[in-house]
């Protein structure tokens, strides 16, 4: 039963059951629901409220927000035009959320907005383990404060999600980029240092030297890393106030017993950051081992046209990578929930009785299923087993005549005859007991 069509490379179907592909195992929908439920539970503890923005945004919003020369905007956008308008399938959610915040004057809700999201993002990257073209992020944006506690909260939250799910082996790196003016001065110094060595750089880094030199610091090439050891240190360009802010972030992380290393190369791949940046890595994922990343983006609102600055900080994490980490660590994830009640019905009259009863039980809040194919007793029992049913009700012409049915406990195998009048209450008792 196959068709000509397949899902696009770098995207995947989330089926009821876990499926194993050439690259990874994609957990079934019950595992996704479980992880999303735990994320929501942690978000509630932080008083965060959910925001859902459209998948489609104006291309210009992403270009301005994320930055024209970033990989995301220059190479990885799924963007298209219709008439005069440019549309993009969101590659991330921070710029859309800031757009929504400004558009709907969310500051009028009062205080700091703690907005969270869970949903798909799209980037035309080369697919590999942990890197897809459609992937899912969860994240939090704290908008309207410069307080270093907000930076600490956005670092703590993904760590708490890991703890909640039992993911271990995470490591945190943090940095401060200073103010945009510091970054600019640093950028110039870095270019001045690297230009005489341009011939030794990889093609990607040579391109970046023109477009986005700070990203060269992210290089994985050993020879470039060695070269960078003598490069000017970003930290020496960071202004006093940003240093003091960073010291506060560290003080709060210490107070919350969070371990970290300071990594002065951590510039991140999006242009909107100023001051704090951070990444949370998890062991065992191979090359794509960054589970969450984020930082402060005090200049984004003005970049998007706000007349006033709106200080903000946040993070996003990849749900696929979280699920991969859970798989690597052999964590037990829930599968399909068993059916409470399965009705085995034989004969037309019994099948009609079954439909009527099952409909009533469902309306009364119970979970009941039955066979829709009119199969044999044996096939129906097999189906009940496959569905892990706790209780099976067996009904045929004889039972209808008698006015009672057989109720079977699938764990113990015990059977009892139950009269129609007693059936609903008996089943209700059993559902409660399991
Ligand atoms: P990002 O580092 O681009 O940051 O993405 C955050 C996380 O999304 C990554 O750490 C990774 O887990 C996941 N991710 C990114 N690209 C892919 C992909 N192609 N396949 C699978 N997972 C992926 C941002 O998006 C910022 N908006 C984070 C932020 C929020 N900064 C401030 N607030």
């Amino acid at each position: 039963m196959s068709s000509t069509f397949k899902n696009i490379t770098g995207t995947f179907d989330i089926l009821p059951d876990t499926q194993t592909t050439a690259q990874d195992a994609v957990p079934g929908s019950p595992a996704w629901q479980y992880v999303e439920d735990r994320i929501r539970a942690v978000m509630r503890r932080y008083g965060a409220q959910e925001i859902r923005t459209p998948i489609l945004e104006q291309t210009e919003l992403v270009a301005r927000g994320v930055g024209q020369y970033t990989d995301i905007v220059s190479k990885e956008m799924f963007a298209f035009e219709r008439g005069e308008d440019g549309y993009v399938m969101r590659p991330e959610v921070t710029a859309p959320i800031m757009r929504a915040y400004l558009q709907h004057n969310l500051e009028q809700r009062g205080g700091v907005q703690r907005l969270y999201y869970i949903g798909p993002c799209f980037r035309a990257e080369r697919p590999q383990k942990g890197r897809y073209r459609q992937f899912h992020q969860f994240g939090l944006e704290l908008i309207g404060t410069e307080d270093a506690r907000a930076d600490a909260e956005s670092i703590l939250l993904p760590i708490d999600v890991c703890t909640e799910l039992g993911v271990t082996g995470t490591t945190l790196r943090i940095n401060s980029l200073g103010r945009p003016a510091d970054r600019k001065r640093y950028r110039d110094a870095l270019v001045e240092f690297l230009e005489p060595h341009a011939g030794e750089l990889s093609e990607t880094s040579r391109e970046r030297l023109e477009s986005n030199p700070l990203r060269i610091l992210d290089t994985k090439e050993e020879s470039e890393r060695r070269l960078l050891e003598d490069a000017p240190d970003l930290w020496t360009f960071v202004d006093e106030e940003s240093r003091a802010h960073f010291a506060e972030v560290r003080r709060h992380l210490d107070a919350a017993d969070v371990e970290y290393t300071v990594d002065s190369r951590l510039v991140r791949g999006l242009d909107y950051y100023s001051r704090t940046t951070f990444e949370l890595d998890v062991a065992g994922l191979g090359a794509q081992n960054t589970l969450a990343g984020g930082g402060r983006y005090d200049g984004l609102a003005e970049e998007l046209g706000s007349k006033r600055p709106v200080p903000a900080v946040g993070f996003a994490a990849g749900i696929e990578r979280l699920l991969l980490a859970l798989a690597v660590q052999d964590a037990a994830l829930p599968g399909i929930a068993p059916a409470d009640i399965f009705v085995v019905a034989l004969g037309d009259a019994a099948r009609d009785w079954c439909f009527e009863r099952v409909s009533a039980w469902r309306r009364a809040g119970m979970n009941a299923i039955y066979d829709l194919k009119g199969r044999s007793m044996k096939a129906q029992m097999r189906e009940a087993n496959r569905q892990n049913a706790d209780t099976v009700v067996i009904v045929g012409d004889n039972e209808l005549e008698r006015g009672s049915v057989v109720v079977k406990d699938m764990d113990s195998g015990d059977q009892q005859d139950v009269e129609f009048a007693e059936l609903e209450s008996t089943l209700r008792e059993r559902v409660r007991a399991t």
Side-chain angles (χ1 to χ4, degrees):
M1 240 207 308
S2 67
S3 90
T4 330
F5 298 109
K6 290 207 164 90
N7 63 299
I8 289 165
T9 308
T11 72
F12 45 83
D13 298 311
I14 298 168
L15 304 179
D17 298 307
T18 297
Q19 43 165 338
T20 312
T21 66
Q23 237 163 26
D24 315 309
V26 182
S29 52
W32 283 78
Q33 284 167 10
Y34 164 73
V35 166
E36 288 165 7
D37 284 349
R38 297 333 305 149
I39 293 168
R40 287 179 197 283
V42 176
M43 291 292 179
R44 269 197 299 279
R45 292 178 207 157
Y46 279 74
Q49 279 142 19
E50 188 180 15
I51 181 165
R52 301 187 189 195
T53 61
I55 300 297
L56 282 180
E57 291 282 355
Q58 276 177 275
T59 307
E60 186 57 24
L61 166 75
V62 175
R64 269 217 253 156
V66 175
Q68 200 71 51
Y69 297 109
T70 58
D71 284 354
I72 295 181
V73 172
S74 62
K75 303 188 212 153
E76 296 168 359
M77 286 198 298
F78 281 108
F80 58 95
E81 272 161 29
R82 280 179 74 89
E84 303 280 283
D85 301 316
Y87 298 82
V88 62
M89 296 177 70
R90 65 180 192 194
E92 61 100 52
V93 201
T94 308
I97 289 180
M98 186 52 92
R99 172 199 54 71
Y101 178 91
L102 297 171
Q103 179 181 339
H104 304 287
N105 288 315
L106 292 185
E107 66 178 352
Q108 286 177 357
R109 299 180 75 230
V112 172
Q113 302 302 308
R114 289 186 176 86
L115 302 171
Y116 86 88
Y117 50 96
I118 303 181
C121 295
F122 305 82
R123 296 184 193 175
E125 298 190 89
R126 194 169 53 79
Q128 54 181 278
K129 188 183 166 94
R131 178 188 274 173
Y132 312 97
R133 293 188 151 194
Q134 174 170 346
F135 58 98
H136 300 78
Q137 280 190 345
F138 69 93
L140 171 73
E141 312 295 347
L142 295 109
I143 307 184
T145 182
E146 292 193 54
D147 197 310
R149 289 174 191 84
D151 304 52
E153 275 197 19
S154 65
I155 294 172
L156 283 171
L157 199 144
I159 296 176
D160 284 1
V161 167
C162 288
T163 310
E164 176 75 17
L165 288 167
V167 171
T168 56
T170 54
T171 47
L172 174 67
R173 289 172 292 121
I174 61 173
N175 191 23
S176 176
L177 303 179
R179 305 229 171 225
D182 308 329
R183 248 173 106 169
K184 168 96 184 43
R185 284 191 302 121
Y186 177 64
R187 183 193 147 112
D188 294 344
L190 187 65
V191 171
E192 198 176 306
F193 168 80
L194 284 173
E195 253 167 0
H197 300 282
E200 301 159 48
L201 297 177
S202 65
E203 201 186 317
T204 315
S205 293
R206 264 203 311 277
E207 267 173 41
R208 285 180 171 161
L209 194 55
E210 301 282 317
S211 59
N212 199 355
L214 261 52
R215 278 306 300 273
I216 298 175
L217 298 177
D218 269 354
T219 182
K220 302 241 155 43
E221 305 251 347
E222 211 28 66
S223 62
E224 293 186 353
R225 279 175 171 265
R226 270 200 304 277
L227 177 65
L228 286 168
E229 276 167 20
D230 298 325
D233 187 2
L234 168 72
W235 195 237
T236 57
F237 289 75
V238 170
D239 68 295
E240 265 319 304
E241 215 185 317
S242 299
R243 284 171 183 241
H245 189 269
F246 192 55
E248 278 296 285
V249 174
R250 295 182 59 172
R251 192 169 69 80
H252 296 309
L253 291 178
D254 292 339
D257 276 335
V258 174
E259 283 180 26
Y260 54 82
T261 53
V262 176
D263 175 359
S264 64
R265 300 265 165 85
L266 180 59
V267 292
R268 309 250 316 123
L270 302 96
D271 275 358
Y272 47 60
Y273 294 112
S274 55
R275 298 201 267 185
T276 316
T277 54
F278 58 89
E279 282 184 352
L280 186 68
D281 297 333
V282 62
L285 294 199
Q288 306 303 321
N289 67 343
T290 305
L291 186 62
R296 181 161 278 287
Y297 49 96
D298 297 338
L300 178 60
E302 285 161 296
E303 200 62 58
L304 301 182
S306 168
K307 299 273 181 296
R308 275 179 292 144
V310 181
V313 61
F315 82 92
I319 301 188
E320 287 78 6
R321 292 188 191 176
L322 192 56
L323 286 163
L324 278 171
L326 286 163
V328 168
Q329 298 180 7
D330 279 331
L333 286 171
I336 296 169
D340 287 338
I341 302 160
F342 191 100
V343 184
V344 171
L346 293 158
D348 287 344
R351 293 183 69 205
D352 283 349
W353 178 93
C354 160
F355 178 76
E356 201 187 310
R357 289 300 171 111
V358 164
S359 304
W361 297 338
R362 287 173 177 168
R363 285 181 190 142
M366 288 194 278
N367 141 5
I369 49 175
Y370 59 95
D371 176 58
L372 273 169
K373 280 189 149 179
R375 288 183 289 188
S376 69
M377 168 96 176
K378 206 166 142 198
Q380 291 191 44
M381 284 307 286
R382 213 180 301 127
E383 177 71 14
N385 267 317
R386 208 177 61 79
Q387 301 274 0
N388 274 328
D390 294 319
T391 303
V392 168
V393 173
I394 302 167
V395 58
D397 289 340
N398 288 344
E399 283 76 11
L400 288 185
E401 232 165 77
R402 271 206 324 261
S404 67
V405 290
V406 177
V407 173
K408 180 170 179 177
D409 180 315
M410 295 297 276
D411 269 345
S412 63
D414 291 347
Q415 296 196 170
Q416 61 177 127
D417 247 17
V418 178
E419 288 186 8
F420 285 177
E422 306 294 318
L423 186 55
E424 186 169 330
S425 59
T426 305
L427 291 175
R428 200 176 280 288
E429 278 305 308
R430 290 190 49 81
V431 169
R432 211 170 294 143
T434 52

